[in-house]
Amino acid sequence: MKGIPGAVISVAQEASGPPTDPPINIEVASDNFDHLTKTAVDLKNYLDNLQIAGVEELNLDVDLTNPEITLTIDREKAMAEGVSTSQIGIALRTGLFGREVSKIKQGEDEYKIQLRNQETQRQSLPDLLNMRIVFREMTGGIKQIPISSLVNVDYTSTYGSIKRKMPNVPLPFTQTF
C-alpha cells in the first residue's frame, strides 16, 4: 500500500464452512500499543469518512475508554496500624464478591452460605471504603480501622476487552476492526 510503510493487503475468498470473522476484517499491528491504537482509530475515522457502500458499522474490537477505579494500599500506614495488604484485599473482595463461610445440608441438597455486603453497599464506593477491618492486636485488644484510611483512590481509564492474536503474528499487539 502506498504511503504506509510495512502495510500488507491480502484479499482472500472465504474458506468453506461458517464464517468466523466479520465480512471485512482489517488488522493493524505494532510493537507500540499507543501507536497501534492511534493508527487504528485514525484508519477507522478515515474509512468512516469515505462512506463506502456496504461498509457500515465498522468497529474497533478494543474499548479505549474503560473507566477504572484503582485502590492503592499505603503499605506504610497499613504496617503502622498492624494490617497486612492481604487483610485489606480479602475484606474488599469479600464485601464485593462474597465468600463462602459455611454450608447447610438438607437431605441430599447442599446450600452454600455466602457472606457479602448488601447490593446497595456493593454499588457504593464510599460504603466499601468505610468498611472496617476488625482484628485482634498483639496486646489482645480488638481494633477496627476503616479501609479508607489505608488506601489511596485513583479514578482512571484503561484499555478494556483487548483481543490479541498470538499465533503467526510477529508483533506483540494486533488491532482488528
Side-chain angles (χ1 to χ4, degrees), residues 150-165:
L150 303 171
V151 299
N152 299 314
V153 180
D154 188 25
Y155 298 92
T156 60
S157 64
T158 185
Y159 304 118
S161 63
I162 300 171
K163 294 181 185 175
R164 291 183 171 86
K165 289 191 156 195

Side-chain angles (χ1 to χ4, degrees), residues 24 52-59:
I24 295 176
I52 300 170
V55 180
E56 296 88 19
E57 299 180 25
L58 191 61
N59 295 314

Side-chain angles (χ1 to χ4, degrees), residues 26-47:
I26 302 170
E27 296 179 5
V28 181
S30 174
D31 284 327
N32 182 323
F33 192 76
D34 291 329
H35 181 261
L36 170 81
T37 55
K38 182 186 179 328
T39 302
V41 169
D42 290 347
L43 180 60
K44 180 192 178 308
N45 291 338
Y46 174 75
L47 292 172

Side-chain angles (χ1 to χ4, degrees), residues 13-131:
Q13 185 174 0
E14 184 177 326
S16 62
T20 57
D21 286 331
I24 295 176
N25 188 35
I26 302 170
E27 296 179 5
V28 181
S30 174
D31 284 327
N32 182 323
F33 192 76
D34 291 329
H35 181 261
L36 170 81
T37 55
K38 182 186 179 328
T39 302
V41 169
D42 290 347
L43 180 60
K44 180 192 178 308
N45 291 338
Y46 174 75
L47 292 172
D48 284 345
N49 288 335
L50 289 178
Q51 296 182 349
I52 300 170
V55 180
E56 296 88 19
E57 299 180 25
L58 191 61
N59 295 314
L60 295 172
D61 68 354
V62 64
D63 180 6
L64 299 174
T65 58
N66 190 22
E68 179 177 84
I69 299 172
T70 304
L71 300 178
T72 306
I73 298 172
D74 186 333
R75 292 175 185 252
E76 288 180 18
K77 281 184 189 176
M79 190 170 61
E81 293 289 349
V83 179
S84 71
T85 56
S86 175
Q87 287 173 295
I88 298 167
I90 289 169
L92 285 168
R93 183 177 297 270
T94 300
L96 278 171
F97 305 113
R99 180 176 63 189
E100 183 179 322
V101 292
S102 187
K103 294 180 183 176
I104 296 176
K105 193 166 186 172
Q106 189 175 23
E108 297 282 321
D109 297 327
E110 189 173 272
Y111 302 97
K112 295 178 182 178
I113 300 174
Q114 290 283 118
L115 172 68
R116 68 176 172 190
N117 289 7
Q118 294 177 352
E119 182 71 28
T120 55
Q121 292 171 322
R122 291 193 311 257
Q123 306 254 336
S124 169
L125 182 59
D127 285 348
L128 287 171
L129 294 177
N130 286 329
M131 286 190 323

